[in-house]
Amino acid sequence: MDRRIALVPIALLLAACGNQPTAEDAKKFVDDAEAKLFAATNEAGQAQWVQQNFITQDTEALNAKASERVTALQVQYAKDAAKYDAVKVDDVLRRKLLLLKLSLTLPAPADPKEAAETAKLAASLDATYGKGKYCPGGDQSKCMTIDDITKIMATSRDPKQLLEAWTGWHSISPPMKKDFVRLVELANKGSKEIGFADTGALWRSQYDMPPDEFAKELDRLWEQVKPLYLQLHAYTRWKLREKYGKDAVPENGPIPAHLLGNIWAQQWNNVYPLLAPKDADVGYDLNAILKAKKTDAKQMVKYGEGFFTSLGFAPLPPTFWERSLFVRPRDRDVVCHASAWDVDNDNDLRVKMCIDITEEDFDVIHHELGHNFYQRAYNKQPFLFRNSANDGFHEAIGDTIALSLTPDYLIKLGLINKAPDASKDIGLLLQKALDKVAFLPFGLLIDQWRWKVYSGQVPPDKYNQVWWELRQKYQGVAPASVRGEEFFDPGAKYHVPGNVPYTRYFLAHILQFQFHKALSETAGCKDPVNRCSIYGNKEAGKRLADGLELGISKPWPDALEKLTGTRQMDGNAVRAYFAPLEKWLIEQNKGKPVGW
Ligand code: X8Z
Ligand code: ZN
């Protein structure tokens, strides 16, 4: 056998046969893809909006159909893009071809029956979560939505009531398990057909670096912030033990998940009053203030918009106010998990959120508007570049703004009269840490679980077991009661049935501290960084807008460099922001167990 023939480059062989695609062919292919995907995603966006705002069998079916069409197109373009691998094209075209191969979240198999099944399952899981209710004792007149459950978890200090709400909400998800298992199978088949080992491998490949390197990058970031988390965990555990007693909270074991103020124990700021430092409490309660001022949902959003316009961004379009959903409708089921939309991939921006008049939702509104202002900032890019630099960037922008909601800023809004002095910084920092630092391991573990599920390392009969192993490993949190495989606890968190990758939020919780630091420097802030607000600063606004306008046209380190001057994600910005608190926590924890 003549081995030399095998060494002839494929491109040459193709040229010899006269079949080699040219750069011009590649351009035609990409132009066609952009036009068709633009039209199809607009249509699917409308269908999805209607389903999530009005959950019925019909809207679910219409949404499934529209998303089936988009997915089929995306899958076909992902496969065909590989035909241009050996063609010499310019950087812009090369990046568009790459994005066509990578940008799917839930690829369906090419088989039409399986493609339809994939779309139906995805739509149905989303709807099941949206309709989720806990009806104590099966009494249909007493049903509780996620809003009611959220309120109990945030405000009740009665462990029995907390346990009931916790178990109650986790009863919505066992019926999802069968569909979820099947969806994993189908998505994996689809992923293999476009060249990935499984769907998790596809998700990890979306970060402008080899997928294994990305997984290591996450470990590195987590190791950077873990010492701070351990101190926060130890202090929180001690205080909860004082409140709920030695039998309820172990001295050196994981904290029961129902005692942390949030149904998923993902953010702990609602238990701040139980943890507040005696002589450094912040001295005001924004929840009470917003309610006392009779702030309504629209006013909350107006405050958010006002921050962005103060930076030089144009106001939201009138259609935003006409088409958004701010309040849970009384007469129908909706997916209330907050989201921001750009329905026409241009300027049809919307928020869908069931706003509660709380400090937490005040932050969430800024989070959502961050998505909308990002979407509009990149709408001058060609369609395939209308996305964030990586998905962590999308999640980080609004949060970055929310880090500027300092006491001095609240004074400007007329919400408080006086800022707590510097001696109260520990209280302010502790409040923030219970929100942001507590979140970090949660942000990481959801996809650690999903990656194992997609790779087959965790089979369906171990879903719940491994879920709780990971929650213990990363968060130091234990289930509120014994959880066997008859439960499907991951399904009680929106992003699992909603099929939204979650690593983005972990990244966002790192990135937002880098962004806040850099933008505060641009704004010339000389205060400790937790007291800096970029409100009204046009230079910081310009720097932010310049970063956002890039969209995904360049690898994310380019956008990071524009925004912060560095090309590396770095957990040290988190450590630096909370440095005085970390020191204080270490003192408080002296002689007490740390870790679990
Ligand atoms: O899902 C969200 C946003 C919508 S993108 C409200 N977040 C994560 C969650 O709620 O679990 C924001 C922080 C984490
Ligand atoms: Zn978001």
Side-chain angles (χ1 to χ4, degrees):
M1 193 175 70
D2 185 352
R3 290 176 171 271
R4 271 173 308 168
I5 192 79
L7 296 175
V8 178
I10 293 192
L12 279 184
L13 280 176
L14 287 172
C17 308
N19 280 337
Q20 188 200 15
T22 62
E24 206 180 311
D25 295 333
K27 171 137 184 22
K28 258 198 220 131
F29 167 74
V30 168
D31 286 349
D32 176 67
E34 286 205 280
K36 296 239 168 70
L37 287 171
F38 180 74
T41 52
N42 285 358
E43 192 192 339
Q46 290 176 313
Q48 198 182 4
W49 174 269
V50 176
Q51 179 192 352
Q52 293 209 348
N53 274 274
F54 190 87
I55 307 176
T56 68
Q57 270 147 326
D58 302 316
T59 57
E60 192 180 309
L62 291 168
N63 178 34
K65 265 278 156 232
S67 98
E68 184 187 332
R69 279 195 291 271
V70 174
T71 304
L73 268 181
Q74 286 173 319
V75 165
Q76 194 55 50
Y77 285 124
K79 287 178 190 163
D80 291 347
K83 292 181 190 156
Y84 305 93
D85 283 353
V87 183
K88 202 169 157 15
V89 294
D90 64 38
D91 291 352
V92 169
L93 215 47
R94 182 49 60 210
R95 186 151 181 86
K96 287 183 179 176
L97 287 163
L98 176 77
L99 293 172
L100 280 174
K101 287 195 240 175
L102 296 180
S103 300
L104 278 133
T105 308
L106 192 70
D111 175 83
K113 259 173 108 181
E114 288 177 331
E117 189 186 358
T118 307
K120 277 192 196 136
L121 286 174
S124 157
L125 281 165
D126 198 60
T128 305
Y129 183 93
K131 288 185 281 193
K133 283 178 200 74
Y134 164 55
C135 310
D139 183 342
Q140 294 300 313
S141 69
K142 295 215 174 84
C143 294
M144 291 189 239
T145 64
I146 184 62
D147 311 2
D148 306 317
I149 299 280
T150 299
K151 199 171 287 165
I152 293 175
M153 298 310 294
T155 56
S156 170
R157 305 292 181 236
D158 170 1
K160 241 184 87 199
Q161 191 189 16
L162 289 169
L163 180 62
E164 197 208 328
W166 192 92
T167 5
W169 182 250
H170 286 81
S171 70
I172 69 153
S173 47
M176 298 172 187
K177 180 163 172 180
K178 194 169 136 276
D179 285 355
F180 182 81
V181 172
R182 177 70 180 142
L183 188 60
V184 167
E185 255 171 46
L186 290 163
N188 275 340
K189 187 164 181 211
S191 299
K192 283 201 182 80
E193 289 179 13
I194 57 169
F196 295 88
D198 62 73
T199 306
L202 167 62
W203 290 7
R204 289 190 297 280
S205 73
Q206 295 168 346
Y207 296 90
D208 296 305
M209 60 169 83
D212 293 350
E213 218 172 277
F214 177 66
K216 284 201 200 106
E217 180 68 353
L218 290 180
D219 294 342
R220 179 184 73 81
L221 293 168
W222 171 232
E223 288 304 323
Q224 280 188 307
V225 292
K226 193 168 153 191
L228 172 59
Y229 179 75
L230 288 177
Q231 293 299 330
L232 183 69
H233 179 279
Y235 176 75
T236 303
R237 178 173 57 195
W238 195 261
K239 286 284 164 187
L240 291 179
R241 194 170 151 86
E242 279 177 5
K243 166 78 187 167
Y244 292 111
K246 297 189 164 130
D247 294 338
V249 182
E251 189 177 14
N252 52 18
I255 305 173
H258 61 303
L259 302 180
L260 286 157
N262 173 281
I263 185 69
W264 307 281
Q266 67 179 61
Q267 283 133 332
W268 306 346
N269 37 315
N270 289 317
V271 296
Y272 170 77
L274 303 179
L275 276 62
K278 259 196 247 78
D279 43 5
D281 186 22
V282 299
Y284 63 82
D285 173 4
L286 199 53
N287 289 318
I289 294 167
L290 289 166
K291 280 186 191 112
K293 294 234 174 229
K294 301 212 166 15
T295 316
D296 65 11
K298 187 170 174 191
Q299 181 58 43
M300 299 260 281
V301 186
K302 283 277 176 197
Y303 282 139
E305 183 194 35
F307 201 115
F308 285 90
T309 52
S310 89
L311 297 175
F313 289 88
L316 291 160
T319 48
F320 173 88
W321 302 101
E322 291 155 15
R323 297 172 191 176
S324 288
L325 177 93
F326 296 149
V327 180
R328 182 187 280 274
R330 278 193 277 177
D331 58 347
R332 62 183 200 262
D333 285 318
V334 301
V335 177
C336 260
H337 187 86
S339 53
W341 300 60
D342 178 9
V343 177
D344 67 350
N345 289 301
D346 180 16
N347 203 27
D348 189 351
L349 308 174
R350 308 178 195 179
V351 156
K352 182 174 61 57
M353 178 174 171
C354 304
I355 299 175
D356 202 9
I357 309 304
T358 60
E359 178 168 17
E360 193 170 321
D361 275 4
F362 195 54
D363 277 355
V364 176
I365 284 161
H366 290 81
H367 173 97
E368 297 309 331
L369 293 183
H371 289 306
N372 287 138
F373 281 94
Y374 206 160
Q375 287 157 345
R376 196 173 48 191
Y378 55 58
N379 76 2
K380 297 286 171 292
Q381 292 285 351
F383 173 71
L384 285 171
F385 292 159
R386 290 183 201 175
N387 204 344
S388 55
N390 71 37
D391 55 4
F393 279 60
H394 231 313
E395 301 303 336
I397 300 308
D399 283 12
T400 301
I401 299 305
L403 288 177
S404 274
L405 307 180
T406 55
D408 280 339
Y409 172 65
L410 298 179
I411 293 175
K412 286 190 184 133
L413 293 188
L415 288 173
I416 60 174
N417 302 321
K418 191 168 140 283
D421 63 37
S423 71
K424 308 292 185 285
D425 259 22
I426 293 299
L428 277 174
L429 285 170
L430 180 60
Q431 249 180 6
K432 262 288 175 282
L434 289 168
D435 178 355
K436 303 293 181 184
V437 179
F439 180 81
L440 287 159
F442 186 80
L444 195 59
L445 76 86
I446 296 212
D447 283 352
Q448 298 291 320
W449 179 81
R450 258 189 306 205
W451 293 352
K452 289 185 203 304
V453 164
Y454 277 125
S455 76
Q457 195 187 331
V458 174
D461 65 355
K462 293 229 160 52
Y463 276 1
N464 229 34
Q465 181 196 321
V466 174
W467 171 256
W468 285 107
E469 282 169 10
L470 289 167
R471 295 204 61 182
Q472 167 146 347
K473 175 180 168 192
Y474 286 103
Q475 282 187 292
V477 162
S481 56
V482 180
R483 309 301 288 175
E485 296 301 330
E486 69 276 30
F487 298 109
F488 178 48
D489 294 327
K493 175 69 198 161
Y494 172 66
H495 302 68
V496 173
N499 199 53
V500 182
Y502 209 82
T503 304
R504 58 184 64 187
Y505 302 107
F506 173 76
L507 297 177
H509 277 67
I510 302 283
L511 286 168
Q512 62 189 265
F513 288 93
Q514 292 183 259
F515 294 161
H516 178 65
K517 177 169 178 277
L519 295 175
S520 296
E521 276 162 16
T522 304
C525 180
K526 301 273 181 292
D527 296 326
V529 68
N530 70 304
R531 293 281 189 152
C532 288
S533 175
I534 62 167
Y535 179 74
N537 191 286
K538 300 281 187 297
E539 278 132 66
K542 167 92 175 49
R543 186 174 196 182
L544 179 60
D546 285 350
L548 303 189
E549 278 161 18
L550 278 179
I552 195 171
S553 63
K554 297 271 158 51
W556 63 260
D558 289 14
L560 186 59
E561 191 167 19
K562 256 215 152 106
L563 283 162
T564 66
T566 165
R567 301 180 64 81
Q568 277 245 317
M569 293 191 271
D570 187 3
N572 283 322
V574 179
R575 294 289 291 278
Y577 184 100
F578 292 105
L581 177 73
E582 187 167 355
K583 191 163 157 258
W584 183 85
L585 286 170
I586 291 171
E587 263 162 44
Q588 304 301 309
N589 291 335
K590 265 206 189 109
K592 300 188 183 107
V594 173
W596 51 88

